[in-house]
């Protein structure tokens, strides 16, 4: 009888232990959901603040950018997910004297869960998608174009850092077998630390092709990687501030052909080591715009066609 009671007590303790462990796991899961909700909101607010600052800095360089603005911002924080949206406006009337241009709407979904593979998704809608489709159809042109012009996705960590991927969706316009405009697989990626600064960036571009019966222009398979010697803000990443960086770019092929005359360049690589001198906190509108570049360029094959003649330069 005593043995049975001991077994019963052990069983009861196991049940209690399992119950307590389950409660702890659920509590930890809900805690990280709540915490990630705050991290996601700060990430959104930081990106919005940076976007406005970049527009302001660009406007100092070229007044055209002063006609852009961000408006109609909304952010709704939920427990398991949050949503946000805003419009990018262009004051076209004062810029080029034309009528009103539809706003570019950006819609954002945030998953407040560290275990989500991509807990930040932003979609930049193409305001001219429907109009272009109608015009192309009326002109006998086949259009392959997504209604979202750009899709950005990010994995945001518990510490506020993120890996951000931005993809411009493919665009194909085709009038016939001999008339084509194609733009595909353009992806940029940024690694961002907990202070909202960039540590590296990369670009992958499948290429473009524009051709008609007499001409053809193309570029295929572009890959570029840049590493900043120290974390930089977006001003430094986009050339609005002096920064040190190393980059490597490769292009599989590029060229043109015009009435049988053309040039084709195969397997080109560019290696750049840039070192800034002067005040690194100044923008391009300042006086300290001195860079030291060490550039290496390699071309494996260069083909030159002139009517029926062909010249090939290898390595």
């Amino acid at each position: 009888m005593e043995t049975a009671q001991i077994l019963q007590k052990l069983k009861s303790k196991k049940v209690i232990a399992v119950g307590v462990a389950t409660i702890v796991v659920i509590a930890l899961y809900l805690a990280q959901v709540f915490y990630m909700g705050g991290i996601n909101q700060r990430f959104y607010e930081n990106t919005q603040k940076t976007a406005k600052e970049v527009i302001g800095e660009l406007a100092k360089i070229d007044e055209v950018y002063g006609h852009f603005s961000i408006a109609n911002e909304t952010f709704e924080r939920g427990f398991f997910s949050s949503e946000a949206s805003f419009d990018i406006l262009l004051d076209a009337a004062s810029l080029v004297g034309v009528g009103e241009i539809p706003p570019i709407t950006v819609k954002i979904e945030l998953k407040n869960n560290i275990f989500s593979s991509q807990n930040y998704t932003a979609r930049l809608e193409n305001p001219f998608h429907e109009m272009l489709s109608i015009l192309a159809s009326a002109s006998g042109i086949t259009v392959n174009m997504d209604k979202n012009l750009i899709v950005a996705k990010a994995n945001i960590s518990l510490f506020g850092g993120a890996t951000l991927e931005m993809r411009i969706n493919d665009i194909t316009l085709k009038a016939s077998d001999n008339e084509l405009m194609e733009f595909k697989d353009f992806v940029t990626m940024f690694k961002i630390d907990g202070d909202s600064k960039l540590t590296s960036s990369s670009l992958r571009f499948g290429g473009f092709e524009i051709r008609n019966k007499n001409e053809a222009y193309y570029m295929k398979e572009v890959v570029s990687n840049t590493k900043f010697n120290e974390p930089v803000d977006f001003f430094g990443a986009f050339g609005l501030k002096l920064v040190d960086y190393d980059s490597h770019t490769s292009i599989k092929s590029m060229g043109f052909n015009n009435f049988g005359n053309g040039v084709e360049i195969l397997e080109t690589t560019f290696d750049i080591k840039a070192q800034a001198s002067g005040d690194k906190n100044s923008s391009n509108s300042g006086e300290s715009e001195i860079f030291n570049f060490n550039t290496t360029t390699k071309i494996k094959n260069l083909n030159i066609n002139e009517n029926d003649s062909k010249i090939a330069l290898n390595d």
Side-chain angles (χ1 to χ4, degrees):
M1 187 69 179
E2 291 181 358
T3 302
Q5 289 178 343
I6 292 172
L7 292 173
Q8 183 63 34
K9 287 181 179 180
L10 290 173
K11 185 177 180 180
S12 298
K13 288 181 179 179
K14 287 182 179 179
V15 171
I16 293 172
V18 171
V20 170
T22 302
I23 293 172
V24 169
V25 169
I26 293 174
L28 289 174
Y29 175 79
L30 295 177
Q32 68 86 20
V33 168
F34 178 78
Y35 183 75
M36 281 303 300
I39 292 291
N40 285 343
Q41 183 171 354
R42 284 194 293 275
F43 182 84
Y44 166 77
E45 291 171 349
N46 287 337
T47 54
Q48 292 300 100
K49 179 174 178 289
T50 299
K52 293 175 183 177
E53 290 175 346
V54 168
I55 290 175
E57 287 297 317
L58 288 173
K60 296 177 184 178
I61 301 170
D62 191 325
E63 63 179 10
V64 170
Y65 295 101
H67 298 275
F68 286 89
S69 61
I70 293 176
N72 305 323
E73 297 178 72
T74 64
F75 183 88
E76 297 181 8
R77 179 172 173 177
F79 187 73
F80 289 103
S81 64
S82 301
E83 294 182 351
S85 67
F86 61 92
D87 291 335
I88 301 174
L89 306 180
L90 172 60
D91 185 4
S94 60
L95 179 62
V96 291
V98 301
E100 182 178 349
I101 292 180
I104 300 173
T105 299
V106 180
K107 295 182 179 179
I108 302 171
E109 301 173 11
L110 300 111
K111 298 177 182 177
N112 303 332
N113 187 348
I114 189 61
F115 302 108
S116 297
S117 59
Q118 292 170 328
N119 42 20
Y120 173 97
T121 303
R123 294 179 171 86
L124 188 150
E125 296 180 351
N126 182 353
F128 304 105
H129 178 265
E130 186 174 347
M131 179 183 70
L132 289 174
S133 298
I134 293 173
L135 291 175
S137 178
S139 303
I141 299 174
T142 301
V143 178
N144 184 5
M145 180 189 305
D146 195 273
K147 68 176 183 179
N148 295 312
L149 185 62
I150 299 175
V151 176
K153 296 184 179 182
N155 293 324
I156 305 173
S157 74
L158 278 171
F159 305 103
T163 299
L164 175 64
E165 178 187 284
M166 298 179 63
R167 177 184 294 273
I168 299 178
N169 285 319
D170 297 353
I171 299 173
T172 302
L173 303 177
K174 186 176 182 180
S176 67
D177 291 338
N178 294 320
E179 295 179 302
L180 173 74
M181 184 182 78
E182 186 176 49
F183 179 98
K184 62 182 182 180
D185 297 332
F186 188 96
V187 181
T188 57
M189 185 175 292
F190 305 95
K191 287 192 176 181
I192 306 169
D193 65 15
D195 295 322
S196 299
K197 291 189 175 183
L198 278 68
T199 58
S200 65
S201 66
S202 63
L203 178 149
R204 187 178 73 251
F205 181 27
F208 73 88
E209 181 179 4
I210 301 173
R211 73 166 186 260
N212 56 35
K213 289 182 290 187
N214 300 315
E215 299 174 292
Y217 304 87
Y218 66 90
M219 180 180 290
K220 297 180 181 179
E221 297 186 29
V222 181
V223 178
S224 181
N225 295 289
T226 300
K227 180 175 176 55
F228 302 104
N229 293 356
E230 59 184 34
V232 300
D233 56 26
F234 277 84
F235 299 108
F238 292 103
L240 300 177
K241 194 182 290 184
L242 301 173
V243 297
D244 299 344
Y245 66 88
D246 296 300
S247 73
H248 174 79
T249 302
S250 66
I251 303 174
K252 186 173 183 179
S253 65
M254 57 183 171
F256 70 90
N257 190 294
N258 187 329
F259 293 94
N261 301 317
V263 174
E264 182 179 49
I265 302 173
L266 301 178
E267 297 187 33
T268 306
T269 60
F270 304 91
D271 288 290
I272 299 175
K273 184 177 181 63
Q275 185 176 16
S277 59
D279 183 5
K280 294 184 181 181
N281 292 317
S282 68
S283 68
N284 271 347
S285 58
E287 298 179 355
S288 301
E289 301 178 22
I290 303 172
F291 282 90
N292 296 317
F293 287 101
N294 292 318
T295 307
T296 302
T297 303
K298 295 181 180 179
I299 299 174
K300 186 171 183 179
N301 293 297
L302 173 61
N303 299 319
I304 302 174
N305 298 306
E306 187 171 355
N307 295 325
D308 295 329
S309 301
K310 182 175 181 179
I311 301 172
L313 303 176
N314 300 321
D315 295 323

